[in-house]
Amino acid sequence: MFRFEDPTYLYLLLLIPVLAVIRMLSVIQQRRRLRRFGDVELVRQLMPDVSRVRPAVKFWLLQLALALLVVMIARPQFGTKISHEKRTGIETMICMDISNSMLAEDVAPSRLARAKMMVENLVDNFTNDKIGLIVFAGDAFIQLPITSDYVSAKMFLSTIDPSMMSTQGTNIGAAVTMASRSFTPQEGVGKAIIVITDGEDHEGEALEAAREAKDRGMRVYVLGVGSTSGAPIPVGNGDYMKDNTGQVVMTGLNEGMCREVAQAGGGAYIHVENNSRAQEQLDAELDKLSKKEIETTIYSDFDEQFQAVGIIILLLIIIEACLLNVKNPYLRRFSLFRRKVVVLAVCLMAVTSVTAQSDRQLVRQGNKQFRQGNYAEAEINYRKALEKNDRNPQANYNLGNALMGQRKDSSAIRQLEIAAKLETVPLRKAQAYHNIGVICQNRQMFGEAIEAYKEALRLNPADDETRYNLALCKRQQKDQQQQKQQNKDKQDDQKQKEQEQKQQEQNQKDKQDKKEQQQQQEQRPQMSRENAEQMLNAAIQEEKQTQERMKKMQQPKRRQLEKNW
């Protein structure tokens, strides 16, 4: 499909007929002046070197160049069509836990943020696959139906937050069941369910749902996020979530549950400590699934075509400049310009081929957009450059910076790592590691940031900015550890005080009960045999009633969720 990005400029083509009319009037006026000198044929014989065709050819060459200049300004583009292509891939449904326990900060910056980064990396690695997104806590619902539109997947991912769920808890079973019903009906294609959670399943039924999904030809993979030692759940203002008894909730990764669900679903369990390592393990597992042709709707991009038009304009101007108004004495034997039909422009356009942009040209265009702050447009140009040459370290580095400008931190880190591997110049490689450190430091991933800064300093020891950031990062890491330790000590002190207070209350209650028993024994009258029998019968009757109530209570009832994390 062909289009003009700025078609308004095409109105300038009206200048072409206006200039042609002016040219025609000028020729008529010139002929009138020539007749004043005498017979036209006689005058022409007196001027044998004057050409009648060359001025017209020069004029129409300039006219054609002007018309093409207007076309170039209007930005001609090819592409942008909707096509249905068949690609070989798999279908993946991602079930993300967004319960309040995912706000715990035992992994930096939090469990939920680390899970989002993991999903973003996964989407970036997909090429011919389909993806869907389900969020769950006490309930589960589809955030994004299965699709090949990765841009929409990232957009929906950025809006995920625990406040979306009205019912808290962790119902892994409901999420797996919903995911198993969300795939396309196409048979023979590998179907994977990826559950990202901390494993605190409050509702049960997760193992049954995983087995059912396995029986239907799907595989369930579980990514465990968090630490097994546990961490409190921040609720803002430096406070932490408490249970019904008033104690601070400590939530930890339940690796046993995660492994059981993955085993029941025929998949694998992966502990997310380092995103890159977990990503490699997950990719290796997904590669084992069978792949089949999937029909996908493709939206092709617009490609600029003004470069070819500009080359033609340049050639026309050069030819016009080299073409003289008078006949060349060395070329009199040739009769190229004695014919009225001029085919020079047509021949020129026929032999001129449209040249494609090189990766360096696309990088320069992206740099221009980047300097203007148009990071999204710059990203498009850098990605086009990588399509032509994926080994271009500058394109990879600049793409990482463009993603960094759009706060796509996970993708930016991955791209900068690729640039650092491809780059051969130590200073440029050091700059890539420096930017990785900046991203990790902003994300409060101080350990990763410190390693990146150290690598940058090994390559460029004279970089004072990196050295300053390294020192600052180490201090921030120390402050973070101290803050965690203080919070932990504060929690321990609070628990100890609560236990001491409960112990004191229990001691006072025991003393009071003992005192009351003594008073009752002193005031209790002598019991007769008849009264004793009556009391025994009443106790037996009360025991029967208690047993009947227990039987009623043992009847199945709907279980109510009591936990809020």
Side-chain angles (χ1 to χ4, degrees), residues 245-290:
T245 62
Q247 298 211 1
V248 175
V249 175
M250 296 295 292
T251 171
L253 172 63
N254 188 350
E255 286 193 309
M257 167 62 73
C258 293
R259 286 195 176 92
E260 290 178 1
V261 173
Q263 185 177 3
Y269 166 70
I270 299 173
H271 185 198
V272 181
E273 293 179 329
N274 180 282
N275 277 20
S276 300
R277 190 179 302 110
Q279 184 67 53
E280 292 176 358
Q281 297 177 5
L282 181 60
D283 290 342
E285 293 293 335
L286 294 179
D287 287 340
K288 299 177 183 178
L289 299 179
S290 60

Side-chain angles (χ1 to χ4, degrees), residues 39 48 78 85 105 162 220 310 335 337 509:
D39 184 64
F78 277 112
E85 295 184 3
E105 298 176 347
V220 180
S335 58
F337 296 103
K509 185 177 180 181

Side-chain angles (χ1 to χ4, degrees), residues 58 133 146 220 264 278 281 323 373 379 448 527:
K58 290 172 63 69
L133 182 61
I146 193 161
V220 180
Q281 297 177 5
L323 190 62
E379 178 187 354
E448 292 86 343
M527 184 180 298

